[in-house]
Amino acid sequence: MSNIAASSLPPMSGPASGDRDTGETVWTNGKPSAGQIAVCVPFYRDDPAHLAEALSVMTGAETTSLIFYDDGSGDDAITGGLKEELAGYPGAACLVTAKVNCGRAHARNRLAGLAAQDWILFLDADMQPDDGAFIDRYINAIKASGGPAVISGGFSLHHTRPSPETRLHAAQSRRSECLDAETRNKAPGLYLFTSNILVHRAVLETVPFDDGYEGWGWEDVDWGLSVVASYPLRHIDNPATHLGLDETGALLDKFGGSGRNFARLARRHPDAISQMPLYRMAKLFSRFPARSFLQRLARGGAAFTVFPVGVRLACLKTYRALAYSKDIS
C-alpha cells in the first residue's frame, strides 16, 4: 500500500466544488490507471468495502480504476478496512478522505475531477452489481453510444432480504424505482437514479451536479432533467442491488426532511415537476388547514406494521406530500 500526495493523482478539472477547503488526504494502491472506465463511489458513514470486493472479481476489473471519496465520515475503522480491500484490487484504486461533509453533489463533482478516464461510473456505497458481467455491459454500451452520453443501468433488490423493519422501503423501491429500462426510457430524466450511472466526462463538464442541494433527495432528478436538454440519456437493463434499505423511521425522516430539496427542484424545472403526481398532491395539501396533524396521522399509518403494505405505501406517499406542501406553498 502507498500513501501519496494529491499532486500524484491524474490532473483534476478544477478545484473542489465551490472552492471548499475539505482537508483531503489521498491514498492509492500504487497501480497505474488504465482502461475506459473509472468507477467513482462517494460515501458518508456507509462502509463500501463489500462493493470494492464485488468489483474486484468482475470481468475487466484489472482495466477498471476505482476512486472512493469519503465525504467526512471520520471513521478510522471504515477507512482502514477499505484500504485493505483496495490494496488487493487488480487495477488502480484510490481513496480520498475529506475531513468535512459537503454533500453528495460536491462529492460526485470532486470524483469526476479526480478520474483520468473519459467514462465515469458512479455507484453508491450501498450498491452491489447483480452479476459478474456488470462492467462488460457498460463497456458494450459505450461502444453503442456514438459519443458523450449518460447510460443508466437501474437498480434492483436482487441481493437483499428485507426484514420486517425494512419491508416498507423495499415495497416503495419495487413500486417506484426498481423499473426496467423500457419503463425508464419513457421519462429518462425523471427516472435517473445516480446510484448506478455511466457518464461521459463531457457531460459532467457541461452539466455538473448542483451542490446547492443539501442532505438527502432530488439532486439526481435535477441533474437528469438538466442533462436531457443537451445529451442522450439512455436507460439499459444492467442493475445493481440497493443493499441499504432503511428502517421505517429512517425512511420517514428522509422523506419528511427533503422538502427544501424538492422545492428547489420545482423552481429549477417547473414544467417537468408540475406534471408529477407528488407535486400536484403537495400543492393540493398546501391549501389544507391542520397539515401538521394530518402529517402525524399519515406517518403513524406508514409505520403501523399491522396495516397491509399497500395501505402503508399510501400513507407514506401522503406523509411525503404533506411534508413537501410546507416548502412549496
Side-chain angles (χ1 to χ4, degrees), residues 40-315:
C40 292
V41 183
F43 67 96
Y44 177 66
R45 296 182 179 171
D46 287 321
D47 187 350
H50 70 92
L51 176 57
E53 180 182 9
L55 290 167
S56 69
V57 297
M58 294 277 154
T59 304
E62 65 280 356
T63 58
T64 302
S65 298
L66 302 187
I67 308 176
F68 286 77
Y69 188 92
D70 182 347
D71 191 19
S73 297
D75 190 320
D76 292 339
I78 290 178
T79 299
L82 182 57
K83 284 180 180 178
E84 288 185 14
E85 196 62 52
L86 295 179
Y89 183 72
C94 170
L95 169 62
V96 181
T97 304
K99 290 184 179 178
V100 297
N101 175 258
C102 291
R104 294 195 299 175
H106 164 85
R108 291 191 185 108
N109 287 332
R110 186 66 169 138
L111 282 162
L114 292 166
Q117 288 81 357
D118 282 337
W119 287 94
I120 297 165
L121 173 55
F122 286 109
L123 286 172
D124 280 357
D126 58 359
M127 302 295 284
Q128 180 175 331
D130 278 6
D131 59 51
F134 180 75
I135 297 295
D136 276 352
R137 289 194 194 94
Y138 273 131
I139 290 173
N140 291 333
I142 290 173
K143 295 174 183 176
S145 67
V150 176
I151 302 164
S152 173
F155 70 92
S156 76
L157 300 180
H158 178 71
H159 292 297
T160 63
R161 296 294 180 269
S163 67
E165 292 78 15
T166 62
R167 188 169 294 139
L168 180 65
H169 193 186
Q172 185 268 335
S173 293
R174 289 192 186 98
R175 176 173 291 187
S176 303
E177 297 159 353
C178 298
L179 308 172
D180 60 26
E182 181 180 0
T183 300
R184 288 180 278 128
N185 276 316
K186 293 175 182 176
L190 287 173
Y191 285 125
L192 195 282
F193 308 123
T194 50
S195 52
N196 174 23
I197 55 167
L198 182 66
V199 189
H200 192 277
R201 177 178 302 282
V203 178
L204 291 167
E205 290 173 350
T206 305
V207 190
F209 292 101
D210 177 9
D211 63 3
Y213 285 87
E214 297 180 357
W216 179 88
W218 299 107
E219 77 279 354
D220 48 359
V221 175
D222 176 288
W223 188 73
L225 291 171
S226 299
V227 163
V228 293
S230 303
Y231 291 97
L233 197 171
R234 184 163 66 95
H235 293 268
I236 65 172
D237 288 314
N238 191 26
T241 293
H242 180 209
L243 297 174
L245 292 174
D246 289 315
E247 294 185 0
T248 298
L251 179 67
L252 286 162
D253 287 344
K254 282 184 176 180
F255 280 12
S258 54
R260 291 180 62 185
N261 279 0
F262 187 72
R264 182 180 181 86
L265 176 69
R267 289 192 301 270
R268 285 171 53 83
H269 302 281
D271 292 341
I273 302 309
S274 65
Q275 303 305 309
M276 290 178 64
L278 178 61
Y279 178 83
R280 294 199 297 267
M281 193 173 179
K283 285 296 287 185
L284 176 64
F285 284 147
S286 70
R287 307 186 189 102
F288 279 32
R291 279 178 290 167
S292 295
F293 173 71
L294 294 173
Q295 188 177 336
R296 288 195 298 271
L297 283 180
R299 183 182 178 110
F304 193 43
T305 56
V306 176
F307 282 166
V309 70
V311 174
R312 296 179 68 197
L313 285 171
C315 291

